[in-house]
mmCIF file of all heavy atoms in Angstrom:
data_model
loop_
_atom_site.group_PDB
_atom_site.id
_atom_site.type_symbol
_atom_site.label_atom_id
_atom_site.label_comp_id
_atom_site.label_asym_id
_atom_site.label_seq_id
_atom_site.Cartn_x
_atom_site.Cartn_y
_atom_site.Cartn_z
ATOM 1 N N ARG A 1 -6.862 8.680 7.804
ATOM 2 C CA ARG A 1 -7.681 7.664 7.195
ATOM 3 C C ARG A 1 -6.850 6.584 6.625
ATOM 4 O O ARG A 1 -7.151 5.386 6.721
ATOM 5 C CB ARG A 1 -8.586 8.274 6.133
ATOM 6 C CG ARG A 1 -9.711 9.179 6.656
ATOM 7 C CD ARG A 1 -10.711 9.533 5.611
ATOM 8 N NE ARG A 1 -10.081 10.204 4.469
ATOM 9 C CZ ARG A 1 -9.976 11.510 4.357
ATOM 10 N NH1 ARG A 1 -10.369 12.304 5.369
ATOM 11 N NH2 ARG A 1 -9.396 12.060 3.281
ATOM 12 N N LEU A 2 -5.793 6.946 5.891
ATOM 13 C CA LEU A 2 -4.895 5.972 5.271
ATOM 14 C C LEU A 2 -4.311 4.995 6.317
ATOM 15 O O LEU A 2 -4.302 3.764 6.117
ATOM 16 C CB LEU A 2 -3.780 6.703 4.552
ATOM 17 C CG LEU A 2 -2.729 5.964 3.740
ATOM 18 C CD1 LEU A 2 -2.189 6.863 2.658
ATOM 19 C CD2 LEU A 2 -1.588 5.527 4.665
ATOM 20 N N THR A 3 -3.831 5.541 7.437
ATOM 21 C CA THR A 3 -3.256 4.720 8.473
ATOM 22 C C THR A 3 -4.296 3.794 9.110
ATOM 23 O O THR A 3 -4.029 2.599 9.359
ATOM 24 C CB THR A 3 -2.616 5.596 9.547
ATOM 25 O OG1 THR A 3 -1.703 6.503 8.937
ATOM 26 C CG2 THR A 3 -1.860 4.776 10.606
ATOM 27 N N ALA A 4 -5.484 4.304 9.388
ATOM 28 C CA ALA A 4 -6.532 3.512 9.977
ATOM 29 C C ALA A 4 -6.902 2.350 9.091
ATOM 30 O O ALA A 4 -7.128 1.222 9.556
ATOM 31 C CB ALA A 4 -7.752 4.386 10.239
ATOM 32 N N ARG A 5 -6.941 2.582 7.775
ATOM 33 C CA ARG A 5 -7.249 1.487 6.850
ATOM 34 C C ARG A 5 -6.186 0.447 6.863
ATOM 35 O O ARG A 5 -6.439 -0.772 6.710
ATOM 36 C CB ARG A 5 -7.468 2.063 5.433
ATOM 37 C CG ARG A 5 -8.779 2.862 5.298
ATOM 38 C CD ARG A 5 -8.819 3.578 3.967
ATOM 39 N NE ARG A 5 -10.036 4.406 3.873
ATOM 40 C CZ ARG A 5 -10.147 5.397 3.050
ATOM 41 N NH1 ARG A 5 -9.151 5.709 2.204
ATOM 42 N NH2 ARG A 5 -11.259 6.134 3.046
ATOM 43 N N GLY A 6 -4.938 0.886 7.036
ATOM 44 C CA GLY A 6 -3.828 -0.080 7.116
ATOM 45 C C GLY A 6 -3.988 -1.020 8.312
ATOM 46 O O GLY A 6 -3.787 -2.266 8.205
ATOM 47 N N TYR A 7 -4.382 -0.467 9.467
ATOM 48 C CA TYR A 7 -4.614 -1.303 10.607
ATOM 49 C C TYR A 7 -5.841 -2.194 10.448
ATOM 50 O O TYR A 7 -5.877 -3.339 10.929
ATOM 51 C CB TYR A 7 -4.726 -0.463 11.893
ATOM 52 C CG TYR A 7 -3.372 -0.025 12.413
ATOM 53 C CD1 TYR A 7 -2.933 1.258 12.257
ATOM 54 C CD2 TYR A 7 -2.526 -0.947 13.035
ATOM 55 C CE1 TYR A 7 -1.674 1.648 12.698
ATOM 56 C CE2 TYR A 7 -1.279 -0.567 13.472
ATOM 57 C CZ TYR A 7 -0.851 0.734 13.299
ATOM 58 O OH TYR A 7 0.406 1.082 13.745
ATOM 59 N N GLY A 8 -6.827 -1.719 9.714
ATOM 60 C CA GLY A 8 -7.973 -2.583 9.389
ATOM 61 C C GLY A 8 -7.561 -3.772 8.562
ATOM 62 O O GLY A 8 -8.005 -4.919 8.752
ATOM 63 N N ARG A 9 -6.678 -3.571 7.616
ATOM 64 C CA ARG A 9 -6.155 -4.670 6.825
ATOM 65 C C ARG A 9 -5.361 -5.671 7.644
ATOM 66 O O ARG A 9 -5.487 -6.889 7.438
ATOM 67 C CB ARG A 9 -5.243 -4.119 5.703
ATOM 68 C CG ARG A 9 -6.000 -3.420 4.586
ATOM 69 C CD ARG A 9 -5.052 -2.800 3.565
ATOM 70 N NE ARG A 9 -4.249 -3.816 2.913
ATOM 71 C CZ ARG A 9 -4.581 -4.402 1.788
ATOM 72 N NH1 ARG A 9 -5.684 -4.060 1.142
ATOM 73 N NH2 ARG A 9 -3.823 -5.310 1.194
ATOM 74 N N LEU A 10 -4.575 -5.177 8.624
ATOM 75 C CA LEU A 10 -3.837 -6.068 9.506
ATOM 76 C C LEU A 10 -4.775 -6.931 10.310
ATOM 77 O O LEU A 10 -4.562 -8.144 10.503
ATOM 78 C CB LEU A 10 -2.908 -5.284 10.415
ATOM 79 C CG LEU A 10 -1.645 -4.701 9.783
ATOM 80 C CD1 LEU A 10 -0.805 -4.099 10.896
ATOM 81 C CD2 LEU A 10 -0.851 -5.730 9.010
ATOM 82 N N ARG A 11 -5.882 -6.336 10.836
ATOM 83 C CA ARG A 11 -6.854 -7.100 11.603
ATOM 84 C C ARG A 11 -7.518 -8.175 10.757
ATOM 85 O O ARG A 11 -7.696 -9.300 11.198
ATOM 86 C CB ARG A 11 -7.885 -6.140 12.228
ATOM 87 C CG ARG A 11 -7.345 -5.235 13.290
ATOM 88 C CD ARG A 11 -8.472 -4.539 14.076
ATOM 89 N NE ARG A 11 -9.258 -3.606 13.221
ATOM 90 C CZ ARG A 11 -8.902 -2.371 13.043
ATOM 91 N NH1 ARG A 11 -7.795 -1.853 13.550
ATOM 92 N NH2 ARG A 11 -9.665 -1.574 12.276
ATOM 93 N N ALA A 12 -7.836 -7.806 9.530
ATOM 94 C CA ALA A 12 -8.486 -8.815 8.629
ATOM 95 C C ALA A 12 -7.491 -9.928 8.320
ATOM 96 O O ALA A 12 -7.866 -11.087 8.259
ATOM 97 C CB ALA A 12 -8.953 -8.097 7.313
ATOM 98 N N ARG A 13 -6.235 -9.554 8.085
ATOM 99 C CA ARG A 13 -5.204 -10.586 7.811
ATOM 100 C C ARG A 13 -5.002 -11.476 8.990
ATOM 101 O O ARG A 13 -4.827 -12.729 8.821
ATOM 102 C CB ARG A 13 -3.904 -9.869 7.415
ATOM 103 C CG ARG A 13 -2.749 -10.816 7.144
ATOM 104 C CD ARG A 13 -3.005 -11.628 5.897
ATOM 105 N NE ARG A 13 -1.821 -12.360 5.493
ATOM 106 C CZ ARG A 13 -1.808 -13.444 4.707
ATOM 107 N NH1 ARG A 13 -2.967 -13.899 4.226
ATOM 108 N NH2 ARG A 13 -0.726 -14.045 4.399
ATOM 109 N N ALA A 14 -5.025 -10.950 10.224
ATOM 110 C CA ALA A 14 -4.845 -11.764 11.391
ATOM 111 C C ALA A 14 -5.977 -12.769 11.518
ATOM 112 O O ALA A 14 -5.754 -13.950 11.849
ATOM 113 C CB ALA A 14 -4.841 -10.893 12.638
ATOM 114 N N THR A 15 -7.196 -12.359 11.203
ATOM 115 C CA THR A 15 -8.349 -13.315 11.255
ATOM 116 C C THR A 15 -8.142 -14.413 10.276
ATOM 117 O O THR A 15 -8.407 -15.606 10.551
ATOM 118 C CB THR A 15 -9.628 -12.539 10.965
ATOM 119 O OG1 THR A 15 -9.827 -11.489 11.971
ATOM 120 C CG2 THR A 15 -10.835 -13.493 11.003
ATOM 121 N N THR A 16 -7.687 -14.087 9.057
ATOM 122 C CA THR A 16 -7.430 -15.076 8.038
ATOM 123 C C THR A 16 -6.368 -16.099 8.477
ATOM 124 O O THR A 16 -6.520 -17.323 8.227
ATOM 125 C CB THR A 16 -6.969 -14.438 6.741
ATOM 126 O OG1 THR A 16 -7.962 -13.514 6.314
ATOM 127 C CG2 THR A 16 -6.741 -15.481 5.660
ATOM 128 N N LEU A 17 -5.349 -15.622 9.168
ATOM 129 C CA LEU A 17 -4.252 -16.501 9.599
ATOM 130 C C LEU A 17 -4.585 -17.209 10.946
ATOM 131 O O LEU A 17 -3.787 -18.032 11.382
ATOM 132 C CB LEU A 17 -2.972 -15.672 9.810
ATOM 133 C CG LEU A 17 -2.391 -15.039 8.518
ATOM 134 C CD1 LEU A 17 -1.253 -14.101 8.872
ATOM 135 C CD2 LEU A 17 -1.901 -16.123 7.552
ATOM 136 N N GLY A 18 -5.684 -16.873 11.556
ATOM 137 C CA GLY A 18 -6.049 -17.483 12.835
ATOM 138 C C GLY A 18 -5.211 -16.968 14.016
ATOM 139 O O GLY A 18 -4.960 -17.667 14.975
ATOM 140 N N LEU A 19 -4.757 -15.697 13.849
ATOM 141 C CA LEU A 19 -3.909 -15.104 14.883
ATOM 142 C C LEU A 19 -4.685 -14.030 15.693
ATOM 143 O O LEU A 19 -5.685 -13.549 15.218
ATOM 144 C CB LEU A 19 -2.692 -14.470 14.260
ATOM 145 C CG LEU A 19 -1.735 -15.383 13.481
ATOM 146 C CD1 LEU A 19 -0.660 -14.525 12.780
ATOM 147 C CD2 LEU A 19 -1.115 -16.401 14.407
ATOM 148 N N ASP A 20 -4.203 -13.765 16.853
ATOM 149 C CA ASP A 20 -4.791 -12.705 17.723
ATOM 150 C C ASP A 20 -4.392 -11.335 17.034
ATOM 151 O O ASP A 20 -3.257 -11.072 16.805
ATOM 152 C CB ASP A 20 -4.151 -12.779 19.082
ATOM 153 C CG ASP A 20 -4.740 -11.718 20.012
ATOM 154 O OD1 ASP A 20 -5.463 -10.816 19.570
ATOM 155 O OD2 ASP A 20 -4.470 -11.795 21.274
ATOM 156 N N PRO A 21 -5.382 -10.502 16.712
ATOM 157 C CA PRO A 21 -5.112 -9.202 16.076
ATOM 158 C C PRO A 21 -4.164 -8.352 16.919
ATOM 159 O O PRO A 21 -3.482 -7.485 16.369
ATOM 160 C CB PRO A 21 -6.482 -8.590 15.908
ATOM 161 C CG PRO A 21 -7.434 -9.726 15.843
ATOM 162 C CD PRO A 21 -6.854 -10.771 16.776
ATOM 163 N N ALA A 22 -4.161 -8.532 18.288
ATOM 164 C CA ALA A 22 -3.292 -7.762 19.133
ATOM 165 C C ALA A 22 -1.811 -8.134 18.932
ATOM 166 O O ALA A 22 -0.925 -7.416 19.307
ATOM 167 C CB ALA A 22 -3.675 -7.953 20.591
ATOM 168 N N GLU A 23 -1.578 -9.323 18.345
ATOM 169 C CA GLU A 23 -0.182 -9.753 18.072
ATOM 170 C C GLU A 23 0.188 -9.492 16.655
ATOM 171 O O GLU A 23 1.371 -9.256 16.359
ATOM 172 C CB GLU A 23 -0.080 -11.253 18.416
ATOM 173 C CG GLU A 23 -0.189 -11.578 19.902
ATOM 174 C CD GLU A 23 0.138 -13.002 20.179
ATOM 175 O OE1 GLU A 23 -0.002 -13.856 19.262
ATOM 176 O OE2 GLU A 23 0.468 -13.304 21.345
ATOM 177 N N TYR A 24 -0.753 -9.629 15.702
ATOM 178 C CA TYR A 24 -0.422 -9.376 14.285
ATOM 179 C C TYR A 24 -0.631 -7.902 14.006
ATOM 180 O O TYR A 24 -1.664 -7.490 13.399
ATOM 181 C CB TYR A 24 -1.270 -10.268 13.376
ATOM 182 C CG TYR A 24 -0.771 -10.292 11.955
ATOM 183 C CD1 TYR A 24 0.326 -11.088 11.632
ATOM 184 C CD2 TYR A 24 -1.332 -9.500 10.970
ATOM 185 C CE1 TYR A 24 0.813 -11.113 10.317
ATOM 186 C CE2 TYR A 24 -0.842 -9.519 9.694
ATOM 187 C CZ TYR A 24 0.263 -10.342 9.372
ATOM 188 O OH TYR A 24 0.740 -10.383 8.058
ATOM 189 N N THR A 25 0.213 -7.058 14.519
ATOM 190 C CA THR A 25 0.122 -5.632 14.332
ATOM 191 C C THR A 25 1.531 -5.003 14.418
ATOM 192 O O THR A 25 2.504 -5.776 14.638
ATOM 193 C CB THR A 25 -0.808 -5.002 15.387
ATOM 194 O OG1 THR A 25 -1.035 -3.612 15.097
ATOM 195 C CG2 THR A 25 -0.182 -5.089 16.813
ATOM 196 N N ALA A 26 1.658 -3.764 14.276
ATOM 197 C CA ALA A 26 2.967 -3.110 14.286
ATOM 198 C C ALA A 26 2.859 -1.634 14.570
ATOM 199 O O ALA A 26 1.859 -0.960 14.191
ATOM 200 C CB ALA A 26 3.630 -3.280 12.919
ATOM 201 N N SER A 27 3.848 -1.089 15.254
ATOM 202 C CA SER A 27 3.973 0.352 15.363
ATOM 203 C C SER A 27 4.524 0.884 14.024
ATOM 204 O O SER A 27 5.245 0.160 13.328
ATOM 205 C CB SER A 27 4.961 0.725 16.480
ATOM 206 O OG SER A 27 4.436 0.309 17.744
ATOM 207 N N VAL A 28 4.144 2.105 13.685
ATOM 208 C CA VAL A 28 4.538 2.617 12.374
ATOM 209 C C VAL A 28 4.895 4.123 12.485
ATOM 210 O O VAL A 28 4.287 4.849 13.210
ATOM 211 C CB VAL A 28 3.454 2.364 11.318
ATOM 212 C CG1 VAL A 28 2.225 3.183 11.585
ATOM 213 C CG2 VAL A 28 3.995 2.679 9.912
ATOM 214 N N ARG A 29 5.966 4.465 11.808
ATOM 215 C CA ARG A 29 6.433 5.857 11.733
ATOM 216 C C ARG A 29 6.701 6.164 10.256
ATOM 217 O O ARG A 29 7.417 5.421 9.561
ATOM 218 C CB ARG A 29 7.725 6.061 12.515
ATOM 219 C CG ARG A 29 7.571 6.053 14.030
ATOM 220 C CD ARG A 29 7.041 7.442 14.470
ATOM 221 N NE ARG A 29 6.975 7.590 15.895
ATOM 222 C CZ ARG A 29 6.012 7.064 16.644
ATOM 223 N NH1 ARG A 29 5.083 6.352 16.107
ATOM 224 N NH2 ARG A 29 6.020 7.322 17.956
ATOM 225 N N CYS A 30 6.166 7.317 9.721
ATOM 226 C CA CYS A 30 6.281 7.617 8.324
ATOM 227 C C CYS A 30 6.761 9.062 8.161
ATOM 228 O O CYS A 30 6.477 9.927 9.015
ATOM 229 C CB CYS A 30 4.943 7.434 7.613
ATOM 230 S SG CYS A 30 4.174 5.833 7.850
ATOM 231 N N LEU A 31 7.459 9.319 7.077
ATOM 232 C CA LEU A 31 7.965 10.632 6.750
ATOM 233 C C LEU A 31 7.732 10.923 5.280
ATOM 234 O O LEU A 31 8.115 10.127 4.417
ATOM 235 C CB LEU A 31 9.423 10.752 7.063
ATOM 236 C CG LEU A 31 10.106 12.124 6.991
ATOM 237 C CD1 LEU A 31 9.464 13.089 7.970
ATOM 238 C CD2 LEU A 31 11.588 11.997 7.273
ATOM 239 N N LEU A 32 7.077 12.032 4.986
ATOM 240 C CA LEU A 32 6.850 12.501 3.598
ATOM 241 C C LEU A 32 7.799 13.666 3.287
ATOM 242 O O LEU A 32 7.831 14.676 4.019
ATOM 243 C CB LEU A 32 5.401 12.927 3.393
ATOM 244 C CG LEU A 32 4.380 11.817 3.205
ATOM 245 C CD1 LEU A 32 2.988 12.435 3.203
ATOM 246 C CD2 LEU A 32 4.624 11.043 1.923
ATOM 247 N N LEU A 33 8.518 13.553 2.145
ATOM 248 C CA LEU A 33 9.503 14.564 1.728
ATOM 249 C C LEU A 33 9.300 14.968 0.298
ATOM 250 O O LEU A 33 9.481 14.128 -0.567
ATOM 251 C CB LEU A 33 10.945 14.010 1.934
ATOM 252 C CG LEU A 33 11.314 13.501 3.353
ATOM 253 C CD1 LEU A 33 12.478 12.545 3.273
ATOM 254 C CD2 LEU A 33 11.666 14.706 4.240
ATOM 255 N N PRO A 34 8.869 16.165 0.035
ATOM 256 C CA PRO A 34 8.731 16.594 -1.370
ATOM 257 C C PRO A 34 10.129 16.827 -1.967
ATOM 258 O O PRO A 34 11.030 17.399 -1.302
ATOM 259 C CB PRO A 34 7.958 17.902 -1.257
ATOM 260 C CG PRO A 34 8.196 18.371 0.132
ATOM 261 C CD PRO A 34 8.428 17.220 1.004
ATOM 262 N N ALA A 35 10.292 16.424 -3.232
ATOM 263 C CA ALA A 35 11.609 16.557 -3.842
ATOM 264 C C ALA A 35 11.895 18.000 -4.327
ATOM 265 O O ALA A 35 13.059 18.348 -4.563
ATOM 266 C CB ALA A 35 11.717 15.596 -5.026
ATOM 267 N N HIS A 36 10.863 18.771 -4.507
ATOM 268 C CA HIS A 36 11.066 20.147 -5.039
ATOM 269 C C HIS A 36 11.894 20.999 -4.038
ATOM 270 O O HIS A 36 11.558 21.082 -2.886
ATOM 271 C CB HIS A 36 9.712 20.827 -5.287
ATOM 272 C CG HIS A 36 9.799 22.010 -6.219
ATOM 273 N ND1 HIS A 36 10.457 23.155 -5.863
ATOM 274 C CD2 HIS A 36 9.265 22.212 -7.444
ATOM 275 C CE1 HIS A 36 10.386 24.004 -6.864
ATOM 276 N NE2 HIS A 36 9.672 23.467 -7.835
ATOM 277 N N PRO A 37 12.979 21.599 -4.490
ATOM 278 C CA PRO A 37 13.842 22.333 -3.603
ATOM 279 C C PRO A 37 13.188 23.549 -2.987
ATOM 280 O O PRO A 37 13.680 24.029 -1.899
ATOM 281 C CB PRO A 37 15.053 22.755 -4.502
ATOM 282 C CG PRO A 37 14.540 22.666 -5.887
ATOM 283 C CD PRO A 37 13.506 21.595 -5.911
ATOM 284 N N ALA A 38 12.136 24.084 -3.571
ATOM 285 C CA ALA A 38 11.484 25.237 -3.005
ATOM 286 C C ALA A 38 10.500 24.870 -1.869
ATOM 287 O O ALA A 38 10.037 25.787 -1.181
ATOM 288 C CB ALA A 38 10.731 26.014 -4.059
ATOM 289 N N CYS A 39 10.200 23.606 -1.719
ATOM 290 C CA CYS A 39 9.223 23.180 -0.679
ATOM 291 C C CYS A 39 10.026 22.483 0.446
ATOM 292 O O CYS A 39 10.568 21.426 0.223
ATOM 293 C CB CYS A 39 8.206 22.258 -1.266
ATOM 294 S SG CYS A 39 6.953 21.739 -0.062
ATOM 295 N N ARG A 40 10.023 23.116 1.597
ATOM 296 C CA ARG A 40 10.746 22.515 2.760
ATOM 297 C C ARG A 40 9.781 21.982 3.809
ATOM 298 O O ARG A 40 10.204 21.780 4.950
ATOM 299 C CB ARG A 40 11.681 23.615 3.348
ATOM 300 C CG ARG A 40 12.879 23.917 2.517
ATOM 301 C CD ARG A 40 13.838 24.856 3.222
ATOM 302 N NE ARG A 40 15.081 25.047 2.481
ATOM 303 C CZ ARG A 40 16.185 24.335 2.704
ATOM 304 N NH1 ARG A 40 16.208 23.337 3.601
ATOM 305 N NH2 ARG A 40 17.286 24.589 2.027
ATOM 306 N N THR A 41 8.535 21.737 3.459
ATOM 307 C CA THR A 41 7.615 21.122 4.383
ATOM 308 C C THR A 41 7.978 19.662 4.577
ATOM 309 O O THR A 41 8.164 18.909 3.591
ATOM 310 C CB THR A 41 6.148 21.231 3.866
ATOM 311 O OG1 THR A 41 5.835 22.624 3.673
ATOM 312 C CG2 THR A 41 5.158 20.632 4.853
ATOM 313 N N ARG A 42 8.034 19.218 5.792
ATOM 314 C CA ARG A 42 8.327 17.814 6.147
ATOM 315 C C ARG A 42 7.164 17.334 7.008
ATOM 316 O O ARG A 42 6.821 17.953 8.021
ATOM 317 C CB ARG A 42 9.653 17.705 6.901
ATOM 318 C CG ARG A 42 10.850 18.403 6.211
ATOM 319 C CD ARG A 42 11.217 17.734 4.917
ATOM 320 N NE ARG A 42 12.368 18.331 4.261
ATOM 321 C CZ ARG A 42 12.335 18.945 3.064
ATOM 322 N NH1 ARG A 42 11.209 19.041 2.454
ATOM 323 N NH2 ARG A 42 13.417 19.442 2.526
ATOM 324 N N VAL A 43 6.587 16.211 6.653
ATOM 325 C CA VAL A 43 5.429 15.687 7.334
ATOM 326 C C VAL A 43 5.701 14.331 7.956
ATOM 327 O O VAL A 43 6.107 13.387 7.258
ATOM 328 C CB VAL A 43 4.207 15.635 6.416
ATOM 329 C CG1 VAL A 43 3.040 14.844 7.063
ATOM 330 C CG2 VAL A 43 3.731 17.012 6.008
ATOM 331 N N PHE A 44 5.486 14.246 9.255
ATOM 332 C CA PHE A 44 5.608 12.956 9.972
ATOM 333 C C PHE A 44 4.214 12.523 10.397
ATOM 334 O O PHE A 44 3.420 13.322 10.848
ATOM 335 C CB PHE A 44 6.513 13.158 11.185
ATOM 336 C CG PHE A 44 6.181 12.254 12.345
ATOM 337 C CD1 PHE A 44 6.596 10.911 12.358
ATOM 338 C CD2 PHE A 44 5.424 12.717 13.428
ATOM 339 C CE1 PHE A 44 6.247 10.096 13.388
ATOM 340 C CE2 PHE A 44 5.094 11.861 14.469
ATOM 341 C CZ PHE A 44 5.535 10.583 14.462
ATOM 342 N N PHE A 45 3.933 11.149 10.339
ATOM 343 C CA PHE A 45 2.753 10.651 10.891
ATOM 344 C C PHE A 45 2.995 9.219 11.297
ATOM 345 O O PHE A 45 3.916 8.536 10.807
ATOM 346 C CB PHE A 45 1.559 10.727 9.932
ATOM 347 C CG PHE A 45 1.720 9.937 8.641
ATOM 348 C CD1 PHE A 45 1.120 8.668 8.518
ATOM 349 C CD2 PHE A 45 2.478 10.451 7.573
ATOM 350 C CE1 PHE A 45 1.262 7.934 7.344
ATOM 351 C CE2 PHE A 45 2.611 9.707 6.399
ATOM 352 C CZ PHE A 45 2.004 8.473 6.293
ATOM 353 N N GLY A 46 2.255 8.720 12.332
ATOM 354 C CA GLY A 46 2.463 7.411 12.771
ATOM 355 C C GLY A 46 1.583 7.013 13.921
ATOM 356 O O GLY A 46 0.751 7.786 14.436
ATOM 357 N N VAL A 47 1.790 5.757 14.415
ATOM 358 C CA VAL A 47 1.044 5.169 15.509
ATOM 359 C C VAL A 47 1.999 4.289 16.298
ATOM 360 O O VAL A 47 2.758 3.516 15.693
ATOM 361 C CB VAL A 47 -0.164 4.356 15.029
ATOM 362 C CG1 VAL A 47 -0.829 3.613 16.199
ATOM 363 C CG2 VAL A 47 -1.224 5.256 14.353
ATOM 364 N N GLY A 48 1.934 4.323 17.631
ATOM 365 C CA GLY A 48 2.725 3.379 18.408
ATOM 366 C C GLY A 48 4.090 3.905 18.784
ATOM 367 O O GLY A 48 4.375 5.106 18.661
#
C-alpha cells in the first residue's frame, strides 16, 4: 500500500508539471533492517 501511494503521488505530480506520467516515474528498490542484534529479519520490497 505504501509503495502504491508513492506511485500515485508521482502521477499527480506529473499532471501538475504537465508531463507524461509514464516518464515522470521511477523504479524503486527498498531494504528494511532492524537495528536490534537479536532480529536478523531482512525485508526487501520494490517495483521495476
Side-chain angles (χ1 to χ4, degrees):
R1 290 193 301 270
L2 182 154
T3 306
R5 289 170 184 161
Y7 280 105
R9 288 175 63 92
L10 287 186
R11 292 192 295 273
R13 179 65 171 161
T15 300
T16 301
L17 295 172
L19 299 173
D20 182 351
E23 292 187 338
Y24 193 81
T25 189
S27 296
V28 66
R29 286 281 186 281
C30 308
L31 188 62
L32 281 174
L33 303 158
H36 198 295
C39 183
R40 287 186 174 268
T41 302
R42 309 292 182 244
V43 169
F44 150 79
F45 63 100
V47 173

